[in-house]
Amino acid sequence: MMRRGVIAASNLGRVASRCVLNRSNSASRSLGSRSLGSCTTIVSKSHSSHSDVVIPGTSHEYGSLGDSPSPHSKPVSWQAAHNLDIQQVTQKALIYELTQQQASKIEAVVPWFLENMPESYFRQIPETFRMDHIKAIASLKDTNMDLFMNLKSHMPDGREVYTFIRPGTSPGTLLHMLEDLRDNDGTDFHDHKPLTRLHVFSTKDESMSLNMFVYGTKETTSVNVAVEGLASPILEYAECVQDGQFANDHDGRHPSPSQLFEREHLISYLKKCSLNYINFGISNPRRFLQQREIIHSVSGTEGTSVHIEAEENEPGHYWVDVAVSNTRPRVALENVCRLLYLHNFDVTRSRLDVVRDSEHGNITVLRMLVAPAAGCEVSQTTFDVLRREIKRSKWLDAVTMKLVFDDYLWLGVTRGEIITAMCSLIHPVLAKENALVFSKSNIVECVSKKRFIKHAADIATIFLDRFNPQNPLPDEELERRCKLVVDEIESSVEDTVALEILNKMVHVVKTTLKTNVYLPNRYALSLRLDPTVMVSPHEEERELPYGIIFVHGRRFNGYHVRFRDISRGGMRLVTPRSPEQYALESARQYDECYGLAFAQQLKNKDIPEGGSKAVNLVDVSGLSENSRNAVMRNAVKSFTDSILDLIVSTDETRENIADFFGKPETIFLGPDEQVTPEDIDWVVAHAARRGYETPAAFMSSKPRAGINHKEFGVTSEGVNVYLDVALRRVLGIDPSKDSFTIKLTGGPDGDVAGNEIKILVREYGDNAKIVGLADVSGCAEDPDGLDHEELIRLVDNGLSISQFSEGKLGPSGTLSTCNTEEGTKARNTMHNRVVADAFVPCGGRPNTIDINNFSQFLREDGTPSSKLIVEGANLFITAEARKALFYKAGVVIVKDSSANKGGVITSSYEIIAAMLLSEDEFFEHKEGIVGEVLEKLRQLAKLEANLLLTEFETNGGSLPEVSQIISDCINVTTDALSTALDALSTEDCEALLPLFRAHLPQTMADMAFDSVHEKVPLQYIKNAIGSCLASKLVYKEGTNFILSLPKDQLASIALKYVKKEQEIAQLVEKLSQPDGLTDHDRAKVASLLEAGGARTALKMPE
């Protein structure tokens, strides 16, 4: 913990007027704390005391830090109280004595300082700082104190400079200083002022280290006018490189000719650099161009580049150059310092710069002169390992770093990363057995114990051998190796908790089908898993997903779950604010992802893609807002890149990934909670860089070439269709004529709730009375209906319900905000308390209403507060609570997988558009395409809504049960057809293409359907034909028709159905023409009417 010390007031000169600060971790180096107004203190430690007392006063060896004076002692002044002459003489004598001592000490310090500080110090550090350093060092030596001091200075432009002076040089000195520059919560000293520059120096006699940390950014000034003259040494050296003057350079110290070094390119680059960085380049153009190469290699990416070479003028020293894109400079510096320390390197000189990377962000550039500690030998292998670990360090989780850097150096980074990834992966499974015993922290702690870490390491070794791309472990050998490890565990581990954890880790190895562990530039560790790995014996049997991808990275863990080979679903970020909440979310992360993906699968019934979902759990606890956002953005990038590792087919992936799955996989993502437009742009661009087959389709809702769900209200358009049909057929309310009441969760500033408000006002006007609305900020309630104009104002301005004007409330209206306990309680209970005809949850956390609290939705007489619920939000009500509400209180619930499918339909059309049209083509016709998409989704919503209520009225059961039956029937038929289409001839498949064309918006089909085979993958076309035919069949004939068919004949009958439907269409066409029917046609019409006429007539309006 930080302690502040006493002021060394005698010799500070100008330094004393600066803010000076100690942040030593060693209590022995601190002498206590004393406030001196607003000035922070200089701290040092004295090893001896003077026998001659210069300043009269207490004679105790430790001054006020020793024993307390006797309570009977009188205060003693250090000067005579009444003799002014004696006072003046004493002052003059003291001043003379101190001046002589200081002058003598400075005379000794200056030559030593000039001789021992490196030349780069005098070149890089301004004179004012050099003078301050000399004075500070002299003051320490004058008082026989250690060279241990922290100085804080302010630059004229507002930047802050922290100078750390320490005795000696040794590995870890710089790392310990960085740790001192943290607050107790682990954040930067001034998080709002990032570390932007570093200078590290050691004296030649190794008696002192002097490091300077610059915090804050300097306002950019243009160097356009002077750059050519200013940087002429760099440009001249580059010209020599381009002319081939170093072509015979066999040691590789000079860079090779490159377009980067062409004069125009280099001048353009220099204009983006700071003057300070250009001055560095002037002093050593060769190193400047070397850094230019590594900076270029990471430009526009999220990567890290490392260059290491020997220093020819200082034997035994090596330059380590590192370029890291889009990282916090202090984090990059600390990571590199930690690795250098662990590999026994001392940093003798260092420099940090931050270079702008256009719209891509910034690149942190580190240059370090290092030397191995005394007695330590280095080899090429040492540098290879160091280079690899530095590149990984940006993405390593803190738990992994502790395990491999602090606890078990022999373990190695890769094995440590595998172990911590497995601990995170198995946590949701084991927690179902006992959430306390198998908490995430307990799992990690258990595996990390000395008794068990060897077993965990052996499991990680098998994992690495299994997926070694040069010689992957065959199935038989995998089984043999796993059995040996299990036998060893069973015989030597008595702890039942450890036994279960380790055995589950072995199961993970067996059920992993491919991994990116051997990719050299991966961002995180990803595993393509057999879904059985996530099955717990302590849960009810449920449908297995098609595939699971798990990603473990820095401050995050992510699952991607999908229920069909080609799938689409959103990616959401979950960011708990506290470690406790993070632990809870970790235990249920997989189930949340599974539930969302399954709901997506049910609602994706009308489109070619199956259902999927990605849930990325990000640890942001203890971070400032800026750091929190940076961590979230990196989590999106790392998670996405790691998924791409497993699904793209490039030379790099084919060479480095052992694939035991053996099939191509197609995944489409979409934005969900906390994913930003900038994230979407990055993901699409990165998919293109990584070689994804259809990068523009990889993520939906692109700002220009997408259909923004919130802007066009696509989810709410579908929700309102279900609400309209249910009001009419369940409650007997014609909303276009009759008044009705409704309550909503989700804010006016949200997607679904905000757009639903607009649609209610648009479609029904004053008939729609919104009597309650709750969001994260509070709730508004009014039995007469909340003012429509005020609600639309909030929607249009993106404001929450807490901004509702109280003057717009009716006589009985109330506004409650969450800045009070009462307001929070009102918000949390609004959806239960307020009575309305219908309740439409449009926002809120999953499982808000569950089996334990569903009774709160009922009034005292047992009747529900709303008889109708239309689920605009996913998983707002659990399956058990839906059943209880229906069977105990008669609440009719339109399930989320039906009600809010408008969003997934829109995203599917966007995926198809990205494959068929260029961005410019789509943008040119966007208005027309969007209008057609909205009409398509309303049609599909109405088809299902009418079938849903027809089967509900005819067959009974609850609406959620009927909804799932409809989804299951369509999905089963789709899967059967997709398989059957593989066996059809090309000609027969072509005959079915009109189904796919009819599914598309007219404008899109007219523009590009002729090139569908060139632009759309064959499997996607087959899925599209299957889903189009399946949904058409179910919506027209009902679920009983599908359920009555033998499963092995389902596809063949469906294909026959298409042919028969075409024949009927031809007959209908002939009927509309005079004398269009032949005798054969008339007989066929008569047979059709006789076979199905009565049944069909029952469905038709009279």
Side-chain angles (χ1 to χ4, degrees):
M1 181 175 177
M2 182 192 76
R3 300 178 183 273
R4 299 189 183 274
V6 297
I7 193 78
S10 58
N11 301 305
L12 294 185
R14 284 171 52 201
V15 181
S17 66
R18 295 181 180 270
C19 290
V20 186
L21 135 94
N22 171 62
R23 300 193 53 85
S24 172
N25 287 329
S26 172
S28 65
R29 287 173 170 164
S30 297
L31 298 181
S33 176
R34 186 170 114 193
S35 173
L36 295 172
S38 61
C39 184
T40 337
T41 59
I42 297 179
V43 177
S44 54
K45 177 185 175 182
S46 175
H47 284 294
S48 62
S49 59
H50 294 288
S51 57
D52 298 327
V53 179
V54 178
I55 302 177
T58 175
S59 60
H60 193 282
E61 181 180 3
Y62 297 101
S64 64
L65 298 180
D67 296 331
S68 298
S70 166
H72 302 294
S73 302
K74 293 181 179 180
V76 179
S77 173
W78 70 275
Q79 286 192 8
H82 304 294
N83 192 321
L84 185 60
D85 291 337
I86 294 177
Q87 287 185 25
Q88 292 176 345
V89 171
T90 303
Q91 289 175 7
K92 289 179 180 179
L94 179 59
I95 292 170
Y96 177 79
E97 175 71 17
L98 293 176
T99 303
Q100 291 298 107
Q101 288 182 15
Q102 184 177 29
S104 173
K105 189 57 63 176
I106 289 177
E107 287 177 0
V109 166
V110 170
W112 168 84
F113 190 83
L114 295 175
E115 181 180 349
N116 280 278
M117 290 300 288
E119 179 271 336
S120 57
Y121 170 83
F122 297 98
R123 187 178 66 249
Q124 297 175 16
I125 306 305
E127 181 181 6
T128 54
F129 283 96
R130 299 200 301 266
M131 294 296 291
D132 287 345
H133 296 161
I134 291 174
K135 292 176 182 179
I137 294 166
S139 70
L140 290 174
K141 288 183 173 288
D142 185 36
T143 52
N144 293 319
M145 293 180 178
D146 280 348
L147 290 173
F148 192 101
M149 181 181 287
N150 301 343
L151 311 177
K152 177 182 175 183
S153 308
H154 289 277
M155 302 281 280
D157 55 17
R159 288 179 292 167
E160 297 174 353
V161 181
Y162 296 87
T163 302
F164 280 37
I165 299 173
R166 294 291 184 271
T169 60
S170 62
T173 300
L174 179 56
L175 175 62
H176 296 150
M177 291 181 185
L178 282 167
E179 291 170 346
D180 285 349
L181 276 168
R182 288 176 170 221
D183 281 331
N184 292 332
D185 65 354
T187 58
D188 272 1
F189 207 172
H190 290 293
D191 192 71
H192 63 285
K193 290 186 176 180
L195 177 67
T196 52
R197 189 163 300 154
L198 164 73
H199 297 282
V200 171
F201 306 102
S202 300
T203 56
K204 296 176 182 178
D205 63 5
E206 298 185 348
S207 65
M208 184 187 75
S209 300
L210 189 153
N211 299 347
M212 300 176 68
F213 303 84
V214 182
Y215 278 75
T217 54
K218 182 179 181 180
E219 187 174 340
T220 304
T221 55
S222 175
V223 294
N224 293 3
V225 177
V227 68
E228 295 188 43
L230 178 67
S232 57
I234 299 173
L235 297 172
E236 290 168 6
Y237 175 75
E239 187 175 345
C240 293
V241 170
Q242 296 298 83
D243 289 344
Q245 294 186 25
F246 306 108
N248 297 322
D249 170 33
H250 300 297
D251 60 5
R253 297 185 65 80
H254 294 278
S256 301
S258 166
Q259 185 179 8
L260 295 174
F261 306 146
E262 293 290 343
R263 187 176 182 86
E264 289 185 6
H265 283 278
L266 202 51
I267 290 174
S268 176
Y269 171 70
L270 285 163
K271 289 178 180 179
K272 300 176 184 178
C273 299
S274 67
L275 288 172
N276 188 285
Y277 188 56
I278 292 175
N279 286 330
F280 154 73
I282 293 170
S283 67
N284 197 320
R286 181 183 70 83
R287 290 176 183 165
F288 184 87
L289 292 197
Q290 281 182 337
Q291 287 197 356
R292 174 68 188 111
E293 287 186 311
I294 67 171
I295 289 170
H296 177 72
S297 70
V298 300
S299 175
T301 74
E302 296 299 316
T304 300
S305 183
V306 183
H307 176 80
I308 302 175
E309 68 175 22
E311 167 52 58
E312 55 186 351
N313 296 321
E314 297 185 51
H317 286 68
Y318 304 87
W319 284 108
V320 178
D321 285 9
V322 183
V324 190
S325 62
N326 293 323
T327 185
R328 298 173 68 203
R330 187 198 57 74
V331 173
L333 176 60
E334 187 171 342
N335 287 341
V336 174
C337 287
R338 180 176 286 106
L339 288 166
L340 291 170
Y341 172 60
L342 291 168
H343 287 284
N344 294 305
F345 284 100
D346 178 31
V347 181
T348 61
R349 292 203 295 277
S350 182
R351 178 188 177 93
L352 179 150
D353 291 279
V354 178
V355 178
R356 286 183 294 128
D357 189 24
S358 303
E359 72 275 8
H360 304 299
N362 293 309
I363 296 173
T364 298
V365 184
L366 294 169
R367 181 164 181 77
M368 296 179 163
L369 183 64
V370 304
C376 296
E377 296 184 0
V378 296
S379 65
Q380 186 59 44
T381 301
T382 305
F383 291 118
D384 289 343
V385 172
L386 180 64
R387 186 181 291 106
R388 185 167 62 249
E389 291 183 349
I390 288 175
K391 294 177 78 171
R392 286 290 310 125
S393 64
K394 175 182 177 179
W395 305 105
L396 280 181
D397 183 72
V399 177
T400 303
M401 297 179 83
K402 180 181 183 302
L403 185 66
V404 300
F405 296 152
D406 298 344
D407 298 341
Y408 304 105
L409 286 173
W410 56 266
L411 190 60
V413 169
T414 305
R415 288 200 298 182
E417 192 176 7
I418 292 168
I419 291 169
T420 55
M422 287 184 177
C423 290
S424 297
L425 169 62
I426 65 180
H427 175 220
V429 182
L430 296 180
K432 291 175 183 176
E433 179 180 342
N434 190 317
L436 294 177
V437 171
F438 293 107
S439 68
K440 188 174 180 181
S441 59
N442 283 352
I443 292 173
V444 173
E445 183 181 352
C446 179
V447 170
S448 302
K449 290 180 179 177
K450 290 183 179 179
R451 292 181 293 161
F452 309 131
I453 190 63
K454 179 185 179 301
H455 299 303
D458 289 342
I459 295 169
T461 299
I462 296 175
F463 184 90
L464 287 169
D465 291 345
R466 168 68 162 171
F467 294 100
N468 184 340
Q470 304 305 317
N471 186 27
L473 212 60
D475 293 347
E476 299 79 9
E477 183 63 13
L478 173 67
E479 286 295 330
R480 189 189 70 81
R481 293 271 300 273
C482 286
K483 185 177 185 305
L484 288 175
V485 170
V486 170
D487 289 345
E488 175 65 21
I489 292 170
E490 297 283 352
S491 63
S492 61
V493 177
E494 296 180 355
D495 187 314
T496 56
V497 173
L499 195 64
E500 190 161 354
I501 292 171
L502 293 168
N503 279 327
K504 188 63 180 176
M505 290 173 69
V506 174
H507 189 211
V508 171
V509 177
K510 290 182 175 183
T511 52
T512 300
L513 301 173
K514 57 182 171 179
T515 175
N516 69 346
V517 69
Y518 281 97
L519 280 173
N521 297 311
R522 60 186 173 87
Y523 291 0
L525 179 62
S526 57
L527 286 69
R528 169 51 164 97
L529 298 163
D530 182 323
T532 56
V533 73
M534 299 307 294
V535 175
S536 169
H538 303 278
E539 65 183 359
E540 293 183 7
E541 186 177 348
R542 56 183 179 179
E543 183 177 340
L544 273 179
Y546 176 86
I548 297 172
I549 292 175
F550 173 74
V551 183
H552 172 70
R554 184 180 181 89
R555 280 187 170 267
F556 81 90
N557 289 293
Y559 289 93
H560 182 274
V561 178
R562 74 189 200 274
F563 281 85
R564 193 177 286 163
D565 54 350
I566 297 178
S567 64
R568 187 229 162 255
M571 171 173 57
R572 67 170 48 180
L573 305 183
V574 180
T575 54
R577 291 283 184 168
S578 69
E580 295 78 16
Q581 188 61 33
Y582 182 86
L584 291 173
E585 294 292 347
S586 175
R588 60 192 182 208
Q589 180 186 2
Y590 174 73
D591 279 349
E592 178 176 343
C593 191
Y594 176 97
L596 292 167
F598 187 70
Q600 196 86 2
Q601 171 69 2
L602 296 177
K603 72 175 70 171
N604 280 23
K605 51 187 168 285
D606 303 309
I607 60 177
E609 305 86 10
S612 68
K613 205 72 174 185
V615 175
N616 196 341
L617 179 61
V618 187
D619 181 9
V620 296
S621 58
L623 298 179
S624 69
E625 194 60 34
N626 286 341
S627 298
R628 180 178 182 272
N629 184 64
V631 167
M632 291 166 63
R633 306 287 67 82
N634 276 340
V636 170
K637 294 172 181 177
S638 183
F639 183 68
T640 305
D641 181 75
S642 300
I643 289 177
L644 287 166
D645 285 342
L646 301 182
I647 63 175
V648 298
S649 180
T650 63
D651 291 341
E652 182 187 37
T653 59
R654 287 189 291 269
E655 291 171 6
N656 293 284
I657 292 180
D659 184 0
F660 289 94
F661 183 65
K663 299 177 184 177
E665 300 192 88
T666 304
I667 292 174
F668 299 110
L669 299 175
D672 202 339
E673 295 176 7
Q674 302 193 83
V675 172
T676 66
E678 292 74 21
D679 291 333
I680 298 170
D681 284 341
W682 186 92
V683 168
V684 172
H686 194 62
R689 288 192 293 268
R690 292 298 311 275
Y692 190 71
E693 188 176 11
T694 52
F698 185 57
M699 179 168 264
S700 59
S701 295
K702 297 172 287 296
R704 185 170 187 264
I707 304 174
N708 186 283
H709 289 198
K710 185 174 183 179
E711 179 183 353
F712 298 105
V714 297
T715 303
S716 305
E717 291 286 356
V719 168
N720 202 71
V721 170
Y722 287 90
L723 175 65
D724 185 280
V725 173
L727 284 171
R728 296 171 188 271
R729 296 184 61 171
V730 175
L731 301 184
I733 297 173
D734 181 347
S736 63
K737 300 176 181 178
D738 306 326
S739 176
F740 65 97
T741 56
I742 186 170
K743 57 184 175 182
L744 307 169
T745 58
D749 55 340
D751 172 7
V752 184
N755 281 298
E756 180 60 22
I757 291 169
K758 291 170 69 175
I759 294 169
L760 288 169
V761 174
R762 179 192 75 196
E763 297 293 324
Y764 313 121
D766 292 340
N767 287 345
K769 297 186 182 301
I770 303 171
V771 294
L773 193 152
D775 66 10
V776 68
S777 70
C779 67
E781 304 171 26
D782 195 329
D784 298 324
L786 295 168
D787 185 84
H788 283 184
E789 287 187 6
E790 179 64 6
L791 287 173
I792 295 298
R793 181 186 73 83
L794 298 182
V795 173
D796 290 343
N797 290 281
L799 300 175
S800 64
I801 195 62
S802 62
Q803 302 300 308
F804 192 96
S805 173
E806 293 190 68
K808 299 288 187 177
L809 291 169
S812 302
T814 60
L815 177 66
S816 304
T817 58
C818 288
N819 54 9
T820 67
E821 185 176 345
E822 296 78 10
T824 302
K825 183 178 179 181
R827 186 278 309 271
N828 292 343
T829 59
M830 189 285 298
H831 65 279
N832 289 324
R833 289 184 295 100
V834 172
V835 177
D837 293 316
F839 169 40
V840 182
C842 297
R845 289 293 293 153
N847 308 329
T848 297
I849 299 178
D850 60 25
I851 193 62
N852 298 312
N853 64 23
F854 81 92
S855 59
Q856 297 173 20
F857 194 78
L858 310 181
R859 295 189 284 181
E860 290 184 1
D861 61 1
T863 59
S865 58
S866 292
K867 294 180 180 179
L868 171 66
I869 299 177
V870 180
E871 293 182 352
N874 287 320
L875 306 181
F876 189 85
I877 309 173
T878 66
E880 297 85 355
R882 290 190 190 110
K883 288 182 181 179
L885 285 169
F886 176 72
Y887 288 109
K888 294 186 178 181
V891 181
V892 176
I893 302 174
V894 181
K895 194 173 179 292
D896 50 8
S897 58
S898 294
N900 63 26
K901 69 178 184 179
V904 304
I905 294 171
T906 303
S907 295
S908 177
Y909 281 130
E910 188 180 330
I911 288 171
I912 299 171
M915 290 189 276
L916 289 175
L917 307 176
S918 69
E919 182 174 318
D920 289 340
E921 287 174 331
F922 178 86
F923 190 73
E924 182 181 353
H925 299 275
K926 184 172 182 176
E927 183 178 354
I929 291 173
V930 170
E932 292 166 2
V933 167
L934 291 174
E935 187 55 37
K936 285 278 187 182
L937 72 86
R938 291 189 197 104
Q939 291 173 2
L940 288 168
K942 194 164 187 177
L943 283 171
E944 184 182 3
N946 282 317
L947 176 63
L948 188 66
L949 287 162
T950 296
E951 300 220 344
F952 171 66
E953 294 161 359
T954 303
N955 302 328
S958 68
L959 274 185
E961 292 167 342
V962 177
S963 173
Q964 180 141 349
I965 291 171
I966 292 173
S967 294
D968 289 343
C969 284
I970 295 176
N971 287 331
V972 166
T973 306
T974 298
D975 293 339
L977 284 165
S978 295
T979 302
L981 290 172
D982 291 335
L984 289 185
S985 66
T986 302
E987 184 180 354
D988 287 338
C989 284
E990 285 295 308
L992 296 171
L993 268 181
L995 287 167
F996 186 17
R997 194 186 199 285
H999 170 72
L1000 298 178
Q1002 187 68 41
T1003 300
M1004 195 188 303
D1006 291 344
M1007 290 176 65
F1009 197 77
D1010 290 345
S1011 59
V1012 67
H1013 286 300
E1014 291 78 38
K1015 297 181 177 180
V1016 181
L1018 179 59
Q1019 188 57 50
Y1020 189 95
I1021 293 173
K1022 291 179 178 179
N1023 282 20
I1025 293 171
S1027 64
C1028 293
L1029 176 52
S1031 60
K1032 181 186 186 75
L1033 190 60
V1034 173
Y1035 289 146
K1036 193 164 186 180
E1037 301 299 334
T1039 61
N1040 287 337
F1041 174 72
I1042 301 297
L1043 295 172
S1044 67
L1045 299 175
K1047 285 190 177 180
D1048 59 346
Q1049 298 179 33
L1050 183 57
S1052 61
I1053 292 174
L1055 292 171
K1056 288 179 183 177
Y1057 183 93
V1058 176
K1059 291 183 178 180
K1060 296 299 180 183
E1061 189 178 49
Q1062 291 171 348
E1063 291 178 6
I1064 292 172
Q1066 292 172 0
L1067 289 173
V1068 170
E1069 176 66 23
K1070 290 179 179 180
L1071 282 170
S1072 65
Q1073 300 172 4
D1075 301 322
L1077 293 178
T1078 65
D1079 290 341
H1080 178 73
D1081 292 336
R1082 291 188 182 91
K1084 188 176 288 187
V1085 171
S1087 298
L1088 286 169
L1089 290 171
E1090 190 174 320
R1095 178 183 168 193
T1096 304
L1098 285 173
K1099 298 180 183 178
M1100 298 179 65
E1102 295 184 9

